[in-house]
Amino acid sequence: GQNIDQPTEMTATEGAIVQINCTYQTSGFNGLFWYQQHAGEAPTFLSYNVLDGLEEKGRFSSFLSRSKGYSYLLLKELQMKDSASYLCAVRGLYAGNNRKLIWGLGTSLAVNP
Amino acid sequence: EAQVTQNPRYLITVTGKKLTVTCSQNMNHEYMSWYRQDPGLGLRQIYYSMNVEVTDKGDVPEGYKVSRKEKRNFPLILESPSPNQTSLYFCASRLAGGNTGELFFGEGSRLTVL
């Protein structure tokens, strides 16, 4: 079967660093995405990894290890506005016309003062 | 401004009363999709469209219909809504090819079926 696992909830302190992990088992791999979703709002794209290694984008970085089926999102210098749900999504094998995304349930991050 | 626009944003309706949620994008994206999001179940794909007049079922298509007569519009139709269709709905679009395949989401439509 196809599965994505993320922790349900995490808590961190303003100014700190937090790492949100994502492990996946999918029939094929064609890229991994991280999206941020504030409560009641639309998901917004954060990062994309298709090769092993670290992708850095300002305060946010995302790491991928394809052999381990593992990714993490690293958030540095946490701000209160980073309180949100973080969704991990994996694009599986090219199936017909749909490069299907398999979504994790999201990690709800609470940043405390 | 590049965006995906959904309407209505909020709707309370009754069982059996047909409704349509509209979705429009101004980015000339070929691919469009509808998701529903429920607590504990995450985002689940309802229908998707690779281009005009090309639509296909996602993971949870029962009780829904879609059409893609124009590239920019992808309405979601609930012919006879039931309470189990109470949910938060998102329309999303992306380029069919593209480097990352990043999805752009609409702001969401919160539907309650009584």
Side-chain angles (χ1 to χ4, degrees), chain A residues 22-84:
Chain A
C22 170
T23 58
Y24 62 90
Q25 291 174 305
T26 57
S27 54
F29 177 85
N30 196 16
L32 185 144
F33 297 82
W34 284 96
Y35 283 79
Q36 180 190 60
Q37 186 179 23
H38 287 100
E41 298 184 9
T44 55
F45 172 79
L46 286 179
S47 69
Y48 170 73
N49 295 69
V50 67
L51 299 176
D52 290 350
L54 190 68
E55 294 280 343
E56 297 186 81
K57 198 187 282 188
R59 295 189 299 114
F60 292 8
S61 304
S62 57
F63 171 82
L64 175 67
S65 168
R66 288 172 297 171
S67 62
K68 295 181 178 169
Y70 168 69
S71 173
Y72 67 72
L73 180 69
L74 194 70
L75 291 73
K76 302 175 190 173
E77 300 168 18
L78 279 172
Q79 302 175 10
M80 299 297 290
K81 67 178 182 179
D82 297 329
S83 293

Side-chain angles (χ1 to χ4, degrees), chain B residues 4 7-8 11-12 22 31 38 42 45-46 50-51 63-64 66 75 78 81 88 98 114:
Chain B
V4 179
N7 280 296
L11 180 64
I12 300 174
T22 63
Y31 178 93
D38 303 286
Q45 189 180 52
I46 302 171
M50 289 300 298
N51 215 324
Y64 304 94
V66 293
L78 287 73
L88 178 58
L114 302 176

Side-chain angles (χ1 to χ4, degrees), chain A residues 33 35 37 40-45 48 87 91 94-101 103-105, chain B residues 31 35 37 40-43 45 48 50 59 90 94 96-97 99-103 105-107:
Chain A
F33 297 82
Y35 283 79
Q37 186 179 23
E41 298 184 9
T44 55
F45 172 79
Y48 170 73
L87 309 177
R91 186 164 58 206
Y94 187 84
N97 283 326
N98 183 15
R99 293 190 289 173
K100 185 180 176 65
L101 281 179
W103 294 86
L105 296 183
Chain B
Y31 178 93
Y35 289 91
Q37 188 174 37
L41 296 176
L43 280 166
Q45 189 180 52
Y48 67 94
M50 289 300 298
D59 297 317
F90 289 104
R94 62 166 168 82
N99 229 4
T100 68
E102 168 192 352
L103 272 174
F105 284 84
E107 293 179 300

Side-chain angles (χ1 to χ4, degrees), chain B residues 22-25 28-32 49-55 67-75:
Chain B
T22 63
C23 174
S24 181
Q25 50 92 9
N28 203 35
H29 287 167
E30 296 87 1
Y31 178 93
M32 296 185 75
S49 169
M50 289 300 298
N51 215 324
V52 177
E53 301 292 0
V54 180
T55 64
S67 68
R68 188 90 181 275
K69 295 185 170 58
E70 305 161 289
K71 195 172 187 179
R72 63 183 296 128
N73 295 324
F74 190 45

